[in-house]
Amino acid sequence: MEKLEVIVAKLESGDVPLEQAIELFQEGMRLSRICSQKLESVERKIEMLLEEDGQTVKKPFTAALEKGDALE
């Protein structure tokens, strides 16, 4: 993630030659895919504990809570 941030900063600065910018962009895209895959893998492993009808219930992780769900 840190390496990706460095690449973005270099590209945003506009101080790199076109060939290097293309290489940095390609490397950034590769790192972005890796980070995305790792995040998806972790999300599949996470379970949320929710309270429903006075009982604690395990539910699979979703990136956004549905309306009416509350973490206790």
Side-chain angles (χ1 to χ4, degrees):
M1 189 69 180
E2 289 176 24
K3 190 172 182 180
L4 183 56
E5 290 173 357
V6 169
I7 289 171
V8 169
K10 285 181 182 180
L11 290 172
E12 286 179 342
S13 75
D15 294 334
V16 293
L18 181 58
E19 283 187 35
Q20 185 180 5
I22 292 169
E23 290 173 7
L24 288 170
F25 178 79
Q26 290 172 336
E27 177 68 5
M29 291 302 295
R30 185 185 73 77
L31 292 171
S32 176
R33 279 190 298 276
I34 290 170
C35 290
S36 180
Q37 289 169 350
K38 287 184 179 186
L39 179 60
E40 288 174 15
S41 174
V42 169
E43 285 177 347
R44 285 191 297 269
K45 295 177 184 177
I46 295 175
E47 289 184 328
M48 293 176 30
L49 294 176
L50 302 173
E51 186 174 328
E52 285 184 3
D53 300 322
Q55 295 183 355
T56 302
V57 179
K58 289 183 185 180
K59 287 196 172 184
F61 175 82
T62 56
L65 291 175
E66 295 177 18
K67 187 175 181 179
D69 287 348
L71 289 176
E72 295 294 324

